[in-house]
Every structure is written in structure tokens, then in C-alpha cells.
Amino acid sequence: MKERNYKQAAENFRKAHEVYLPLGNYKDSAKQAQTIVRKAKHLSEYREAASLFSVASKVYSSYGNAYKNATKLADVYARKGQVQISARGNSYLADHIRSALQKIM
């Protein structure tokens, strides 16, 4: 703009906007995830928080995996949201249940 090349300046601002636009999603995703975690009482809420942290992690992936702890927090809350099912019986039954659950997840 200082050189009065407004067409190039507009293009540069557009490019900057495209680069920084996803960064706002991190803040929103992280904020939503933290709100969910504070109130979480169900495993599904931890999984939802993990999903939001995962979105944040993808936005910041070019800055490194440890940036803002998004990747770590996604893993932590994904583990907290895991459902564990135990079945008594023979291995055929357990394998059948495992296979059915993997298909729906």
C-alpha cells in the first residue's frame, strides 16, 4: 500500500487472510473443548472434546505437534472417552463382538 500498488496490496491481504483464517478455528475449537471438558460427565463428551482438540491440532500442525498442547489433549481425552466392553465366553463370541463393534466405529 505504501507504494500505491493497491492491486498487489489487496492480493497480499487476501493471502494473509487465507493463512490466518484457520487459526481462529483453533481458538474456537480449543475454547469449546475446554468448556466441554469442565462439564463432562459422560464418555461421549470426552470424545467430543477430543475431536475438537484434534481439529485444533490439524490447524496448527505446521507449527509442530506440541504447539498449544492440542495434539496431546486430543489423545488424553480420546482415551478418557473410550468405552471398554468385557464379555465372558469363548473366544469366538469375543471375536464376533469385537468385529461387530469395529464395523460401527
Side-chain angles (χ1 to χ4, degrees):
M1 281 181 47
K2 290 179 183 179
E3 296 175 11
R4 297 186 188 272
N5 186 349
Y6 298 114
K7 186 175 180 179
Q8 185 61 46
E11 180 64 19
N12 291 343
F13 282 122
R14 185 189 64 74
K15 288 179 182 177
H17 175 72
E18 289 175 2
V19 169
Y20 287 103
L21 187 61
L23 299 181
N25 292 340
Y26 168 78
K27 184 177 181 183
D28 294 343
S29 295
K31 185 177 180 180
Q32 290 172 5
Q34 290 292 356
T35 299
I36 291 168
V37 167
R38 281 194 296 273
K39 297 176 182 179
K41 294 180 182 174
H42 303 283
L43 296 177
S44 62
E45 292 168 321
Y46 287 115
R47 291 192 300 272
E48 184 180 359
S51 176
L52 290 169
F53 279 122
S54 180
V55 168
S57 175
K58 288 176 186 171
V59 170
Y60 275 115
S61 63
S62 62
Y63 299 103
N65 288 338
Y67 193 76
K68 299 279 188 178
N69 284 332
T71 303
K72 180 181 176 186
L73 292 171
D75 291 340
V76 166
Y77 291 112
R79 278 194 306 267
K80 281 190 173 189
Q82 286 180 340
V83 176
Q84 295 181 3
I85 298 175
S86 299
R88 291 183 186 219
N90 61 29
S91 63
Y92 172 78
L93 179 61
D95 289 342
H96 187 68
I97 292 170
R98 184 179 301 109
S99 175
L101 290 173
Q102 287 174 342
K103 286 180 184 178
I104 63 172
M105 298 188 146

XYZ file of all heavy atoms in Angstrom:
839
model
N 0.821 -1.186 0.000
C 0.000 0.000 0.000
C 0.865 1.249 0.000
O 0.487 2.231 -0.615
C -0.955 0.010 1.201
C -2.153 -0.876 0.994
S -3.360 -0.917 2.352
C -3.592 0.773 2.755
N 2.007 1.190 0.707
C 2.876 2.360 0.774
C 3.370 2.774 -0.600
O 3.596 3.946 -0.848
C 4.061 2.097 1.697
C 3.678 2.001 3.152
C 4.890 1.727 4.015
C 4.471 1.564 5.453
N 5.620 1.262 6.327
N 3.505 1.790 -1.489
C 3.983 2.079 -2.840
C 2.825 2.356 -3.791
O 3.018 2.465 -5.000
C 4.831 0.906 -3.345
C 6.085 0.700 -2.526
C 6.850 -0.535 -2.948
O 6.531 -1.124 -4.004
O 7.775 -0.903 -2.202
N 1.634 2.448 -3.263
C 0.410 2.737 -4.016
C 0.079 1.662 -5.061
O -0.564 1.918 -6.057
C 0.472 4.120 -4.658
C 0.568 5.234 -3.632
C 0.471 6.578 -4.315
N 0.744 7.650 -3.380
C -0.178 8.234 -2.616
N -1.419 7.832 -2.652
N 0.162 9.219 -1.807
N 0.546 0.470 -4.809
C 0.209 -0.655 -5.666
C -0.943 -1.391 -4.978
O -0.761 -2.421 -4.336
C 1.421 -1.561 -5.874
C 1.144 -2.665 -6.867
O 0.009 -2.895 -7.257
N 2.196 -3.357 -7.264
N -2.123 -0.844 -5.117
C -3.272 -1.317 -4.366
C -3.745 -2.706 -4.811
O -4.224 -3.485 -4.003
C -4.421 -0.303 -4.455
C -4.039 1.026 -3.859
C -3.920 2.160 -4.650
C -3.771 1.143 -2.498
C -3.555 3.375 -4.107
C -3.401 2.342 -1.934
C -3.292 3.462 -2.747
O -2.919 4.648 -2.195
N -3.595 -3.002 -6.079
C -3.989 -4.322 -6.565
C -3.137 -5.416 -5.910
O -3.652 -6.418 -5.431
C -3.851 -4.388 -8.085
C -4.382 -5.672 -8.678
C -4.340 -5.639 -10.194
C -4.884 -6.930 -10.754
N -4.887 -6.940 -12.207
N -1.817 -5.199 -5.857
C -0.932 -6.162 -5.203
C -1.175 -6.203 -3.696
O -1.147 -7.264 -3.080
C 0.537 -5.838 -5.484
C 1.508 -6.867 -4.933
C 1.300 -8.244 -5.537
O 1.153 -8.394 -6.741
N 1.276 -9.261 -4.697
N -1.442 -5.050 -3.110
C -1.720 -4.995 -1.670
C -2.981 -5.795 -1.340
O -3.019 -6.546 -0.361
C -1.860 -3.554 -1.204
N -4.008 -5.643 -2.177
C -5.250 -6.385 -1.957
C -4.996 -7.891 -2.059
O -5.513 -8.678 -1.257
C -6.304 -5.948 -2.965
N -4.190 -8.284 -3.034
C -3.852 -9.702 -3.186
C -3.082 -10.225 -1.969
O -3.339 -11.328 -1.472
C -3.034 -9.916 -4.469
C -2.640 -11.348 -4.726
C -3.809 -12.283 -4.959
O -4.917 -11.812 -5.288
O -3.615 -13.501 -4.811
N -2.143 -9.433 -1.471
C -1.367 -9.828 -0.290
C -2.257 -9.948 0.948
O -2.087 -10.869 1.754
C -0.225 -8.853 -0.039
C 0.846 -8.951 -1.103
O 0.918 -9.913 -1.854
N 1.681 -7.925 -1.183
N -3.201 -9.021 1.104
C -4.130 -9.102 2.235
C -5.027 -10.337 2.120
O -5.311 -10.992 3.114
C -4.991 -7.842 2.334
C -4.293 -6.670 2.947
C -4.180 -5.482 2.248
C -3.742 -6.750 4.214
C -3.532 -4.386 2.816
C -3.091 -5.672 4.790
C -2.984 -4.486 4.079
N -5.448 -10.660 0.884
C -6.271 -11.849 0.678
C -5.506 -13.106 1.075
O -6.026 -13.978 1.764
C -6.724 -11.945 -0.781
C -7.688 -13.113 -1.042
C -7.952 -13.315 -2.518
N -6.774 -13.685 -3.269
C -6.187 -14.889 -3.230
N -6.649 -15.824 -2.445
N -5.118 -15.158 -3.962
N -4.242 -13.179 0.656
C -3.413 -14.340 1.001
C -3.205 -14.436 2.511
O -3.266 -15.528 3.091
C -2.070 -14.273 0.284
C -2.158 -14.549 -1.193
C -0.796 -14.450 -1.851
C -0.880 -14.673 -3.348
N 0.419 -14.503 -4.003
N -2.950 -13.308 3.150
C -2.766 -13.306 4.608
C -4.047 -13.749 5.308
O -4.007 -14.507 6.282
C -2.355 -11.920 5.082
N -5.176 -13.293 4.783
C -6.460 -13.674 5.369
C -6.658 -15.187 5.280
O -7.101 -15.821 6.241
C -7.588 -12.937 4.640
C -8.957 -13.356 5.079
N -9.480 -13.005 6.304
C -9.912 -14.103 4.461
C -10.685 -13.506 6.427
N -10.969 -14.179 5.322
N -6.326 -15.780 4.135
C -6.454 -17.227 3.952
C -5.557 -18.001 4.910
O -5.925 -19.063 5.388
C -6.141 -17.612 2.513
C -7.207 -17.191 1.527
C -6.830 -17.471 0.085
O -5.736 -18.028 -0.161
O -7.633 -17.128 -0.801
N -4.369 -17.467 5.182
C -3.438 -18.136 6.083
C -3.925 -18.055 7.528
O -3.894 -19.042 8.261
C -2.019 -17.528 5.971
C -1.121 -18.022 7.089
C -1.420 -17.854 4.612
N -4.393 -16.896 7.940
C -4.754 -16.711 9.344
C -6.183 -17.094 9.682
O -6.513 -17.277 10.848
C -4.497 -15.256 9.775
C -3.035 -14.982 9.913
C -2.341 -14.269 8.934
C -2.321 -15.461 10.992
C -0.982 -14.044 9.047
C -0.966 -15.243 11.119
C -0.306 -14.531 10.140
O 1.039 -14.313 10.261
N -7.035 -17.263 8.695
C -8.426 -17.623 8.959
C -8.556 -18.926 9.745
O -9.289 -18.985 10.730
C -9.209 -17.703 7.643
C -10.707 -17.907 7.764
C -11.350 -16.749 8.515
C -11.315 -18.020 6.369
N -7.855 -20.006 9.370
C -7.982 -21.245 10.145
C -7.483 -21.119 11.588
O -7.890 -21.880 12.452
C -7.113 -22.251 9.387
C -6.925 -21.683 8.044
C -7.012 -20.199 8.209
N -6.605 -20.181 11.851
C -6.082 -20.050 13.208
C -7.177 -19.663 14.189
O -7.143 -20.045 15.350
C -4.941 -19.031 13.247
C -3.725 -19.388 12.387
C -2.663 -18.321 12.526
C -3.174 -20.742 12.731
N -8.163 -18.950 13.728
C -9.302 -18.627 14.580
C -10.071 -19.873 14.959
O -10.631 -19.963 16.042
N -10.085 -20.860 14.071
C -10.766 -22.112 14.367
C -10.115 -22.827 15.537
O -10.779 -23.508 16.294
C -10.762 -23.031 13.149
C -11.626 -22.504 12.031
O -12.492 -21.676 12.252
N -11.379 -22.969 10.824
N -8.781 -22.708 15.670
C -8.126 -23.347 16.802
C -8.654 -22.769 18.096
O -9.059 -23.480 18.998
C -6.601 -23.188 16.769
C -6.020 -23.614 18.087
C -5.869 -24.960 18.374
C -5.721 -22.697 19.083
C -5.407 -25.382 19.604
C -5.256 -23.110 20.312
C -5.102 -24.449 20.566
O -4.669 -24.856 21.786
N -8.674 -21.451 18.162
C -9.121 -20.805 19.396
C -10.548 -21.230 19.720
O -10.863 -21.567 20.855
C -9.029 -19.290 19.244
C -9.382 -18.531 20.489
C -9.212 -17.046 20.293
C -9.542 -16.286 21.540
N -9.461 -14.847 21.354
N -11.411 -21.226 18.715
C -12.796 -21.622 18.944
C -12.899 -23.090 19.325
O -13.623 -23.443 20.244
C -13.636 -21.351 17.691
C -13.764 -19.862 17.384
O -13.490 -19.031 18.274
O -14.124 -19.539 16.244
N -12.167 -23.945 18.626
C -12.215 -25.374 18.931
C -11.697 -25.650 20.327
O -12.293 -26.412 21.085
C -11.381 -26.164 17.916
O -11.944 -26.068 16.646
N -10.565 -25.039 20.656
C -9.981 -25.261 21.979
C -10.900 -24.734 23.074
O -11.072 -25.370 24.113
C -8.613 -24.600 22.070
N -11.486 -23.575 22.830
C -12.385 -22.983 23.831
C -13.598 -23.884 24.044
O -13.999 -24.144 25.178
C -12.828 -21.596 23.356
C -13.658 -20.842 24.353
C -13.974 -19.452 23.817
C -14.809 -18.672 24.806
N -15.126 -17.330 24.304
N -14.192 -24.376 22.949
C -15.334 -25.289 23.067
C -14.930 -26.561 23.781
O -15.683 -27.063 24.632
C -15.869 -25.626 21.680
C -16.563 -24.465 20.990
C -16.903 -24.804 19.556
O -16.707 -25.931 19.100
N -17.408 -23.843 18.826
N -13.758 -27.096 23.434
C -13.304 -28.341 24.055
C -13.095 -28.167 25.548
O -13.496 -29.025 26.338
C -12.021 -28.820 23.389
N -12.479 -27.059 25.947
C -12.253 -26.814 27.375
C -13.576 -26.683 28.126
O -13.715 -27.165 29.248
C -11.408 -25.546 27.575
C -9.978 -25.702 27.135
C -9.188 -26.667 28.017
O -9.662 -27.190 29.006
N -7.952 -26.901 27.625
N -14.554 -26.043 27.502
C -15.877 -25.913 28.127
C -16.512 -27.280 28.316
O -17.078 -27.578 29.368
C -16.787 -25.021 27.254
O -16.192 -23.729 27.143
C -18.172 -24.880 27.862
N -16.412 -28.122 27.302
C -16.979 -29.473 27.383
C -16.279 -30.284 28.468
O -16.920 -30.965 29.260
C -16.879 -30.183 26.012
C -17.835 -29.522 25.023
C -17.179 -31.672 26.146
C -17.620 -29.953 23.594
N -14.948 -30.189 28.521
C -14.175 -30.959 29.498
C -14.536 -30.554 30.923
O -14.673 -31.409 31.801
C -12.659 -30.794 29.241
C -11.839 -31.306 30.404
C -12.263 -31.498 27.961
N -14.707 -29.265 31.151
C -15.047 -28.804 32.511
C -16.379 -29.367 32.987
O -16.570 -29.604 34.168
C -15.082 -27.276 32.559
C -13.720 -26.632 32.650
C -13.815 -25.166 33.039
N -14.511 -24.364 32.049
C -13.939 -23.790 30.993
N -12.654 -23.942 30.788
N -14.639 -23.075 30.142
N -17.315 -29.570 32.058
C -18.651 -30.032 32.431
C -18.876 -31.522 32.155
O -19.959 -32.035 32.405
C -19.698 -29.228 31.658
C -19.675 -27.751 31.976
C -20.668 -27.001 31.114
C -20.618 -25.516 31.399
N -21.548 -24.759 30.551
N -17.867 -32.202 31.610
C -18.038 -33.582 31.148
C -18.424 -34.530 32.269
O -17.817 -34.536 33.333
C -16.756 -34.059 30.467
N -19.460 -35.308 31.988
C -19.899 -36.356 32.903
C -20.030 -37.690 32.169
O -20.185 -38.725 32.788
C -21.248 -35.987 33.519
C -21.192 -34.772 34.417
C -22.542 -34.450 34.987
C -22.455 -33.192 35.834
N -23.761 -32.746 36.306
N -19.998 -37.644 30.837
C -20.189 -38.832 30.031
C -18.987 -39.043 29.110
O -18.322 -38.089 28.713
C -21.464 -38.710 29.186
C -22.687 -38.456 30.005
N -23.321 -39.442 30.726
C -23.380 -37.321 30.238
C -24.355 -38.928 31.355
N -24.414 -37.634 31.083
N -18.753 -40.296 28.765
C -17.642 -40.622 27.876
C -17.786 -39.942 26.521
O -16.801 -39.515 25.920
C -17.548 -42.136 27.687
C -17.217 -42.950 28.943
C -17.238 -44.433 28.640
C -15.878 -42.533 29.503
N -19.010 -39.803 26.048
C -19.237 -39.163 24.746
C -18.785 -37.710 24.756
O -18.330 -37.185 23.731
C -20.706 -39.251 24.351
O -21.515 -38.560 25.287
N -18.876 -37.055 25.895
C -18.425 -35.656 25.991
C -16.900 -35.573 25.897
O -16.370 -34.644 25.279
C -18.934 -35.033 27.289
C -20.444 -34.859 27.286
C -21.005 -34.525 28.652
O -20.532 -35.081 29.661
O -21.940 -33.711 28.691
N -16.209 -36.530 26.475
C -14.750 -36.559 26.336
C -14.353 -36.818 24.876
O -13.411 -36.230 24.368
C -14.123 -37.617 27.243
C -14.140 -37.227 28.700
C -14.876 -37.949 29.626
C -13.413 -36.128 29.148
C -14.889 -37.590 30.965
C -13.417 -35.765 30.484
C -14.165 -36.495 31.385
O -14.176 -36.133 32.713
N -15.103 -37.685 24.193
C -14.813 -37.940 22.781
C -15.065 -36.691 21.937
O -14.322 -36.399 21.001
C -15.650 -39.117 22.269
C -15.225 -40.456 22.863
C -15.857 -41.632 22.140
N -17.305 -41.630 22.169
C -18.049 -42.185 23.138
N -17.457 -42.775 24.174
N -19.355 -42.151 23.068
N -16.104 -35.951 22.271
C -16.388 -34.706 21.553
C -15.263 -33.696 21.762
O -14.813 -33.037 20.817
C -17.719 -34.125 22.014
C -18.132 -32.880 21.259
C -19.461 -32.323 21.724
O -20.102 -32.893 22.632
O -19.862 -31.284 21.176
N -14.788 -33.575 22.994
C -13.661 -32.680 23.287
C -12.417 -33.122 22.529
O -11.694 -32.298 21.968
C -13.387 -32.636 24.796
N -12.172 -34.421 22.485
C -11.014 -34.948 21.752
C -11.105 -34.582 20.280
O -10.102 -34.212 19.652
C -10.934 -36.468 21.913
N -12.295 -34.647 19.721
C -12.496 -34.295 18.321
C -12.175 -32.819 18.074
O -11.525 -32.472 17.085
C -13.939 -34.597 17.916
O -14.180 -34.176 16.609
N -12.614 -31.958 18.972
C -12.331 -30.525 18.825
C -10.839 -30.231 18.984
O -10.281 -29.413 18.239
C -13.151 -29.723 19.840
C -14.656 -29.692 19.564
C -15.402 -29.111 20.756
C -14.962 -28.907 18.303
N -10.194 -30.877 19.929
C -8.746 -30.703 20.068
C -8.016 -31.228 18.836
O -7.001 -30.676 18.422
C -8.213 -31.384 21.328
C -8.412 -30.585 22.582
C -9.123 -31.104 23.642
C -7.874 -29.309 22.704
C -9.300 -30.372 24.806
C -8.046 -28.570 23.860
C -8.762 -29.097 24.914
N -8.541 -32.282 18.243
C -7.938 -32.825 17.030
C -8.029 -31.824 15.880
O -7.074 -31.647 15.116
C -8.632 -34.138 16.649
O -8.058 -34.664 15.493
N -9.161 -31.148 15.759
C -9.310 -30.099 14.743
C -8.273 -29.005 14.979
O -7.602 -28.554 14.058
C -10.737 -29.503 14.769
C -10.823 -28.233 13.946
C -11.751 -30.516 14.284
N -8.141 -28.606 16.229
C -7.158 -27.584 16.575
C -5.749 -28.048 16.243
O -4.935 -27.289 15.715
C -7.267 -27.242 18.063
N -5.475 -29.297 16.511
C -4.150 -29.848 16.230
C -3.834 -29.800 14.740
O -2.715 -29.471 14.343
C -4.079 -31.284 16.737
O -2.872 -31.869 16.386
N -4.816 -30.110 13.909
C -4.616 -30.080 12.462
C -4.341 -28.663 11.966
O -3.531 -28.461 11.077
C -5.820 -30.679 11.755
C -5.914 -32.173 11.909
C -7.164 -32.733 11.296
C -7.268 -34.215 11.617
N -8.551 -34.769 11.244
N -5.022 -27.696 12.553
C -4.805 -26.297 12.150
C -3.372 -25.884 12.441
O -2.727 -25.213 11.644
C -5.798 -25.360 12.868
C -5.425 -23.905 12.655
C -7.216 -25.621 12.366
N -2.857 -26.301 13.579
C -1.521 -25.891 13.992
C -0.440 -26.913 13.654
O 0.689 -26.789 14.113
C -1.497 -25.593 15.489
C -1.942 -24.191 15.782
C -3.097 -23.951 16.498
C -1.207 -23.106 15.334
C -3.501 -22.654 16.762
C -1.597 -21.820 15.590
C -2.751 -21.605 16.304
O -3.141 -20.321 16.551
N -0.740 -27.920 12.852
C 0.239 -28.968 12.573
C 1.526 -28.428 11.949
O 2.601 -28.979 12.174
C -0.370 -30.036 11.669
O -0.710 -29.482 10.418
N 1.426 -27.360 11.190
C 2.644 -26.802 10.574
C 3.557 -26.129 11.597
O 4.712 -25.846 11.302
C 2.279 -25.812 9.469
O 1.543 -24.731 10.010
N 3.047 -25.892 12.801
C 3.850 -25.276 13.859
C 4.467 -26.311 14.794
O 5.125 -25.960 15.761
C 3.001 -24.292 14.673
C 2.464 -23.170 13.839
C 1.136 -23.162 13.426
C 3.288 -22.131 13.434
C 0.647 -22.135 12.632
C 2.804 -21.108 12.640
C 1.484 -21.121 12.249
O 1.002 -20.108 11.465
N 4.212 -27.563 14.544
C 4.757 -28.630 15.385
C 3.660 -29.304 16.179
O 2.642 -28.696 16.500
N 3.867 -30.566 16.502
C 2.836 -31.342 17.199
C 2.564 -30.884 18.619
O 1.506 -31.122 19.162
C 3.232 -32.821 17.218
C 3.107 -33.445 15.853
O 2.379 -32.956 15.007
N 3.826 -34.524 15.641
N 3.530 -30.239 19.246
C 3.356 -29.852 20.641
C 2.742 -28.458 20.791
O 2.470 -28.028 21.903
C 4.695 -29.891 21.371
N 2.503 -27.757 19.690
C 2.020 -26.377 19.777
C 0.656 -26.330 20.448
O -0.278 -27.006 20.064
C 1.949 -25.756 18.386
C 1.761 -24.266 18.414
C 2.829 -23.434 18.716
C 0.539 -23.701 18.165
C 2.681 -22.073 18.757
C 0.371 -22.337 18.198
C 1.436 -21.521 18.489
O 1.275 -20.158 18.540
N 0.568 -25.546 21.486
C -0.665 -25.347 22.261
C -1.219 -26.637 22.870
O -2.363 -26.677 23.285
C -1.740 -24.681 21.411
C -1.393 -23.317 20.880
C -1.598 -22.260 21.906
C -1.427 -20.880 21.284
N -1.653 -19.824 22.206
N -0.414 -27.694 22.909
C -0.813 -28.982 23.502
C -2.050 -29.594 22.864
O -2.653 -30.493 23.436
C -1.044 -28.844 25.018
C 0.243 -28.772 25.776
O 1.250 -29.303 25.336
N 0.214 -28.114 26.907
N -2.448 -29.124 21.706
C -3.681 -29.616 21.096
C -3.614 -31.111 20.788
O -4.569 -31.844 21.041
C -4.001 -28.827 19.829
N -2.492 -31.578 20.257
C -2.361 -32.992 19.910
C -2.400 -33.854 21.165
O -3.096 -34.866 21.224
C -1.051 -33.240 19.136
O -1.041 -32.408 17.980
C -0.907 -34.688 18.724
N -1.675 -33.440 22.182
C -1.640 -34.193 23.440
C -3.025 -34.230 24.082
O -3.481 -35.283 24.538
C -0.625 -33.568 24.395
C -0.534 -34.282 25.718
C 0.455 -33.626 26.643
C 0.472 -34.305 27.996
N 1.311 -33.602 28.961
N -3.703 -33.085 24.117
C -5.029 -33.032 24.723
C -6.032 -33.879 23.939
O -6.909 -34.516 24.539
C -5.504 -31.585 24.838
C -4.720 -30.739 25.844
C -5.109 -29.270 25.732
C -4.943 -31.241 27.264
N -5.899 -33.908 22.618
C -6.779 -34.759 21.810
C -6.588 -36.216 22.197
O -7.570 -36.961 22.361
C -6.498 -34.553 20.322
N -5.344 -36.636 22.379
C -5.060 -38.021 22.777
C -5.577 -38.320 24.184
O -6.175 -39.372 24.425
C -3.561 -38.310 22.711
C -3.029 -38.334 21.293
O -3.829 -38.498 20.343
O -1.804 -38.174 21.128
N -5.347 -37.395 25.109
C -5.773 -37.588 26.507
C -7.280 -37.799 26.584
O -7.769 -38.745 27.202
C -5.342 -36.388 27.380
C -6.061 -36.387 28.727
C -3.844 -36.388 27.581
N -8.037 -36.918 25.921
C -9.488 -37.006 26.037
C -10.070 -38.115 25.167
O -11.141 -38.642 25.488
C -10.133 -35.644 25.782
C -9.783 -34.712 26.917
C -8.950 -33.633 26.731
C -10.239 -34.974 28.206
C -8.591 -32.805 27.791
C -9.879 -34.166 29.272
C -9.062 -33.080 29.057
O -8.707 -32.289 30.109
N -9.373 -38.507 24.123
C -9.817 -39.680 23.350
C -9.726 -40.927 24.223
O -10.631 -41.778 24.208
C -8.978 -39.839 22.093
N -8.640 -41.033 25.004
C -8.500 -42.183 25.911
C -9.559 -42.138 27.010
O -10.126 -43.162 27.385
C -7.107 -42.227 26.506
C -6.086 -42.871 25.596
C -4.805 -43.198 26.322
N -4.248 -42.034 26.998
C -3.340 -41.203 26.494
N -2.835 -41.418 25.360
N -2.895 -40.172 27.152
N -9.829 -40.940 27.545
C -10.839 -40.828 28.598
C -12.229 -41.166 28.082
O -13.088 -41.578 28.847
C -10.856 -39.410 29.183
C -9.759 -39.149 30.170
C -9.978 -37.828 30.878
C -8.967 -37.649 31.973
N -9.260 -36.485 32.813
N -12.445 -40.981 26.788
C -13.746 -41.244 26.205
C -13.930 -42.645 25.672
O -14.988 -42.974 25.148
N -12.914 -43.488 25.823
C -13.016 -44.850 25.311
C -14.021 -45.664 26.113
O -14.096 -45.558 27.331
C -11.665 -45.558 25.363
C -10.705 -45.097 24.319
C -9.379 -45.842 24.407
O -9.048 -46.425 25.425
N -8.617 -45.797 23.333
N -14.740 -46.456 25.398
C -15.688 -47.381 26.014
C -15.016 -48.735 26.095
O -14.453 -49.212 25.117
C -16.983 -47.481 25.174
C -17.928 -48.515 25.760
C -17.649 -46.127 25.065
N -15.060 -49.330 27.267
C -14.472 -50.653 27.441
C -15.595 -51.655 27.673
O -16.465 -51.449 28.514
C -13.498 -50.661 28.607
C -12.304 -49.769 28.368
C -11.326 -49.816 29.523
O -11.496 -50.552 30.476
N -10.297 -49.013 29.415
N -15.546 -52.708 26.887
C -16.572 -53.739 26.985
C -15.891 -55.063 27.296
O -14.930 -55.440 26.639
C -17.364 -53.852 25.666
C -18.076 -52.537 25.382
C -18.342 -55.016 25.723
C -18.782 -52.490 24.058
N -16.405 -55.741 28.294
C -15.886 -57.063 28.653
C -16.968 -58.090 28.379
O -18.138 -57.869 28.684
C -15.506 -57.114 30.131
O -14.494 -56.176 30.392
N -16.568 -59.195 27.779
C -17.524 -60.265 27.501
C -16.945 -61.575 27.991
O -15.789 -61.881 27.729
C -17.808 -60.322 26.002
N -17.748 -62.299 28.696
C -17.331 -63.625 29.140
C -17.825 -64.646 28.127
O -18.903 -64.526 27.588
C -17.907 -63.940 30.508
C -17.304 -63.102 31.591
C -17.862 -63.514 32.924
N -17.363 -62.603 33.941
C -17.004 -62.982 35.135
N -17.098 -64.240 35.494
N -16.552 -62.113 36.002
N -17.036 -65.594 27.890
C -17.433 -66.624 26.946
C -16.230 -67.072 26.146
O -15.087 -66.710 26.437
N -16.504 -67.841 25.126
C -15.403 -68.365 24.331
C -14.827 -67.278 23.420
O -15.408 -66.213 23.244
C -15.850 -69.596 23.536
C -16.967 -69.255 22.564
O -17.064 -68.147 22.089
N -17.808 -70.232 22.284
N -13.684 -67.560 22.833
C -13.006 -66.566 22.010
C -13.798 -66.253 20.744
O -13.725 -65.158 20.215
C -11.597 -67.029 21.654
O -11.640 -68.199 20.879
N -14.580 -67.228 20.251
C -15.401 -66.976 19.063
C -16.395 -65.855 19.337
O -16.570 -64.942 18.534
C -16.144 -68.243 18.629
C -17.149 -67.978 17.534
C -16.731 -67.809 16.213
C -18.505 -67.860 17.827
C -17.646 -67.544 15.211
C -19.424 -67.584 16.829
C -18.987 -67.419 15.523
O -19.887 -67.138 14.538
N -17.039 -65.910 20.483
C -18.013 -64.891 20.863
C -17.333 -63.532 21.011
O -17.816 -62.523 20.504
C -18.730 -65.285 22.159
C -19.767 -64.303 22.692
C -20.880 -64.109 21.680
C -20.322 -64.803 24.016
N -16.199 -63.499 21.693
C -15.465 -62.249 21.883
C -15.015 -61.675 20.541
O -15.126 -60.464 20.298
C -14.270 -62.476 22.793
N -14.521 -62.532 19.646
C -14.104 -62.073 18.317
C -15.279 -61.527 17.524
O -15.166 -60.530 16.813
C -13.435 -63.209 17.533
C -12.069 -63.578 18.086
O -11.484 -62.757 18.835
O -11.585 -64.681 17.764
N -16.427 -62.170 17.629
C -17.628 -61.734 16.923
C -18.085 -60.355 17.436
O -18.431 -59.478 16.637
C -18.738 -62.774 17.089
C -19.951 -62.486 16.275
N -19.964 -62.545 14.909
C -21.198 -62.110 16.654
C -21.172 -62.225 14.468
N -21.931 -61.956 15.510
N -18.077 -60.167 18.728
C -18.470 -58.872 19.322
C -17.471 -57.788 18.893
O -17.865 -56.690 18.491
C -18.550 -58.983 20.862
C -19.718 -59.880 21.257
C -18.659 -57.608 21.489
C -19.742 -60.237 22.716
N -16.180 -58.089 18.973
C -15.147 -57.131 18.585
C -15.310 -56.714 17.127
O -15.258 -55.542 16.786
C -13.756 -57.707 18.826
C -12.632 -56.742 18.548
C -11.246 -57.342 18.812
N -11.105 -57.787 20.189
C -11.044 -59.061 20.598
N -11.106 -60.043 19.724
N -10.919 -59.369 21.871
N -15.559 -57.672 16.263
C -15.717 -57.412 14.832
C -16.945 -56.521 14.588
O -16.890 -55.570 13.804
C -15.866 -58.728 14.077
O -16.141 -58.494 12.721
N -18.032 -56.810 15.260
C -19.248 -56.015 15.103
C -19.047 -54.590 15.580
O -19.497 -53.635 14.934
C -20.404 -56.672 15.867
N -18.362 -54.428 16.681
C -18.117 -53.074 17.207
C -17.182 -52.278 16.307
O -17.369 -51.083 16.106
C -17.538 -53.145 18.626
C -18.511 -53.615 19.708
C -17.795 -53.813 21.022
C -19.644 -52.602 19.867
N -16.184 -52.930 15.744
C -15.256 -52.233 14.853
C -15.948 -51.762 13.589
O -15.608 -50.720 13.042
C -14.062 -53.132 14.502
C -13.110 -53.292 15.678
C -11.999 -54.284 15.395
O -12.091 -55.092 14.489
N -10.949 -54.214 16.196
N -16.944 -52.499 13.123
C -17.688 -52.102 11.925
C -18.502 -50.833 12.146
O -18.638 -50.030 11.232
C -18.605 -53.234 11.482
C -17.892 -54.387 10.831
C -18.858 -55.464 10.428
C -18.111 -56.666 9.860
N -19.043 -57.750 9.507
N -19.022 -50.649 13.347
C -19.853 -49.454 13.591
C -19.044 -48.258 14.040
O -19.548 -47.156 14.091
C -20.983 -49.746 14.611
C -20.409 -50.124 15.975
C -21.927 -50.785 14.070
C -21.465 -50.239 17.057
N -17.781 -48.458 14.363
C -16.958 -47.342 14.785
C -16.153 -46.919 13.634
O -15.840 -46.085 13.108
C -16.064 -47.720 15.937
C -16.866 -48.108 17.148
S -15.781 -48.321 18.548
C -16.836 -47.751 19.826
